[in-house]
């Protein structure tokens, strides 16, 4: 890479699957696997911010355990497609001349991918569509994913789907992590059945056991606070009303073949989603959903983090680098 310049590089990954390496001038980088259209690394200098299991596979038919999984056209097991949808287990293609994406003009490091359901997939999920994904790295190190799904059917059939950016954040210790911004929201608890709806009572989300929830009507920004690292991930979203939160904890981790027995302690899945109310598109219609993430130092006041200040710090840092 030329010093002081952002770069986009195509390289071979595990099992010969191509990867895209995006770098920015301040030593921030991300890696994207064309298998699954999946971000598998987000580094701030030498520190990895995303979790990928030591037992993860990088070839079909299994998804890559970690990074940022694209769950489409369904989230979970409820639907006609495979669990969490087929997008995360298909090979995506680089789109050299993609239609214009709404993006910040300062961003030079990005890649455009496209996925179309195969004829085999159409037998199980009979909806023709195009899924375009832009993965971008801002000069300030912000990771931005923009998804665009278009219903390309010619028979007038509506396209309905659920969606999630299932993001595996790397954390120091799950018991030292809290999520702020989801207080008082209604949520679906998948451990108690898909239709079991509850209201969050705590001041913040903390973790002491397995969790598999979808928070409904979440605000546009939330904070994921790692006390031990003194670091906060700020997650912003647009076009996606819900937030998924998942950690398998000890017993389930031991039953997951591509996850180490103790690795649940160092990961937390949080991501923007549309689960409760599927997105429906008429023929020719297009939907756009975005997730933006930044990692900022946590600041404490009387032993407590002020999430509003952290989010404002992230906004100011991003603005100054744009």
């Amino acid at each position: 890479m030329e010093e002081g310049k952002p770069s986009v590089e195509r390289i071979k990954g595990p099992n010969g699957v191509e990867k895209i390496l995006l770098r920015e001038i301040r030593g921030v980088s991300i890696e994207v696997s064309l298998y699954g259209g999946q971000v598998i690394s987000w580094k701030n200098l030498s520190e990895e911010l995303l979790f990928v299991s030591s037992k993860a596979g990088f070839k079909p038919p299994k998804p890559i355990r970690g990074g940022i999984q694209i769950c489409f056209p369904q989230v979970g097991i409820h639907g006609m497609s495979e669990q969490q949808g087929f997008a995360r287990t298909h090979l995506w293609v680089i789109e050299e001349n993609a239609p214009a994406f709404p993006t910040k003009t300062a961003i030079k490091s990005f890649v455009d991918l496209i996925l179309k359901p195969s004829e085999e997939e159409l037998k199980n999920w009979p909806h023709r569509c195009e899924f375009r994904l832009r993965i971008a790295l801002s000069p300030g190190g912000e990771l931005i994913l923009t998804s665009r799904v278009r219903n390309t059917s010619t028979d007038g059939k509506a396209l309905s789907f659920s969606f999630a950016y299932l993001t595996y954040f790397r954390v120091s210790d799950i018991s030292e992590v809290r999520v702020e911004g989801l207080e008082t929201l209604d949520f679906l608890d998948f451990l108690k059945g898909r239709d079991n709806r509850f209201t969050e009572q705590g001041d913040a989300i903390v973790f002491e056991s397995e969790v598999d929830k979808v928070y409904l009507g979440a605000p546009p920004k939330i904070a994921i606070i790692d006390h031990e690292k003194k670091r906060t991930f700020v997650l912003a979203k647009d076009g996606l009303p819900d937030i998924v939160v998942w950690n398998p904890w000890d017993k389930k981790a031991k039953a997951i073949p591509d996850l180490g027995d103790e690795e649940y302690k160092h990961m937390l899945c949080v991501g923007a989603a549309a689960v409760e109310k599927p997105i429906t598109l008429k023929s020719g219609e297009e939907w756009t959903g975005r997730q933006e993430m930044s990692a900022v130092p946590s600041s404490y006041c009387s032993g407590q983090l002020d999430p509003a200040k952290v989010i404002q710090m992230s906004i100011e840092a991003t603005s100054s680098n744009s």
Side-chain angles (χ1 to χ4, degrees):
M1 180 179 82
E2 184 181 346
E3 189 66 30
K5 297 283 187 180
S7 71
V8 180
E9 182 182 356
R10 298 168 74 153
I11 57 178
K12 285 293 182 183
N15 299 302
V17 177
E18 193 171 21
K19 295 193 300 183
I20 311 300
L21 175 60
L22 307 180
R23 292 190 182 99
E24 260 300 340
I25 59 176
R26 289 179 173 82
V28 182
S29 67
I30 60 177
E31 290 183 18
V32 181
S33 173
L34 292 189
Y35 179 55
Q38 192 161 335
V39 180
I40 55 174
S41 175
W42 177 28
K43 287 183 179 178
N44 184 0
L45 297 175
S46 60
E47 185 177 17
E48 180 60 66
L49 302 175
L50 294 179
F51 169 88
V52 174
S53 173
S54 62
K55 294 186 175 182
F58 291 84
K59 63 180 180 179
K62 298 294 185 181
I64 302 169
R65 175 69 66 183
I68 305 175
Q69 295 183 352
I70 306 296
C71 301
F72 169 89
Q74 72 182 49
V75 179
I77 61 174
H78 303 277
M80 297 174 62
S81 183
E82 61 192 76
Q83 182 174 355
Q84 305 289 24
F86 56 75
R88 65 182 191 152
T89 56
H90 277 49
L91 196 64
W92 292 61
V93 176
I94 296 173
E95 190 172 27
E96 302 290 357
N97 298 301
F101 272 74
T103 189
K104 298 172 184 175
T105 56
I107 294 177
K108 305 298 182 185
S109 294
F110 63 87
V111 63
D112 291 319
L113 306 180
I114 186 168
L115 175 71
K116 299 179 182 179
S118 66
E119 292 301 319
E120 184 66 27
E121 189 59 47
L122 287 170
K123 293 177 183 177
N124 299 320
W125 190 73
H127 300 281
R128 295 192 177 274
C129 67
E130 292 178 346
F131 188 141
R132 288 182 165 87
L133 173 65
R134 171 166 288 190
I135 302 171
L137 185 62
S138 78
E142 186 178 35
L143 173 53
I144 306 166
L145 300 102
T146 306
S147 293
R148 289 162 59 165
V149 177
R150 178 176 290 275
N151 182 352
T152 58
S153 68
T154 56
D155 57 6
K157 184 183 292 186
L159 168 65
S160 185
F161 60 91
S162 54
F163 181 92
Y165 290 115
L166 190 59
T167 306
Y168 286 71
F169 290 99
R170 178 177 289 275
V171 299
S172 57
D173 187 327
I174 186 63
S175 63
E176 296 294 322
V177 174
R178 58 192 280 142
V179 179
E180 298 192 355
L182 303 177
E183 303 83 13
T184 74
L185 294 183
D186 285 355
F187 64 88
L188 304 178
D189 190 341
F190 283 7
L191 297 179
K192 299 179 180 178
R194 182 180 173 88
D195 298 322
N196 280 275
R197 186 177 181 129
F198 305 90
T199 300
E200 184 59 54
Q201 302 295 328
D203 293 334
I205 314 303
V206 294
F207 302 93
E208 300 173 338
S209 60
E210 181 184 357
V211 60
D212 189 357
K213 297 177 179 179
V214 178
Y215 287 85
L216 310 174
K221 284 188 175 72
I222 64 168
I224 302 156
I225 302 152
D226 188 334
H227 289 299
E228 190 170 313
K229 283 281 188 181
K230 294 184 171 58
R231 178 173 63 209
T232 294
F233 294 106
V234 179
L235 186 152
K237 63 184 179 64
D238 183 52
L240 292 158
D242 307 326
I243 290 284
V244 296
V245 180
W246 179 74
N247 184 287
W249 218 252
D250 53 352
K251 290 182 180 179
K252 186 158 289 183
K254 292 176 181 178
I256 299 174
D258 57 351
L259 184 68
D261 289 355
E262 301 295 316
E263 287 187 322
Y264 76 93
K265 295 178 180 179
H266 306 296
M267 53 153 279
L268 174 63
C269 285
V270 180
V275 177
E276 184 188 32
K277 298 177 181 177
I279 297 158
T280 299
L281 302 175
K282 297 178 182 177
S283 181
E285 283 188 330
E286 184 177 270
W287 163 84
T288 300
R290 285 165 61 90
Q291 176 173 291
E292 304 185 14
M293 297 171 293
S294 58
V296 298
S298 298
S299 58
Y300 288 82
C301 178
S302 302
Q304 295 296 319
L305 178 76
D306 182 345
K309 287 184 179 179
V310 168
I311 291 171
Q312 186 60 36
M313 285 167 55
S314 175
I315 293 171
E316 291 172 356
T318 301
S319 298
S320 65
N321 292 321
S322 299

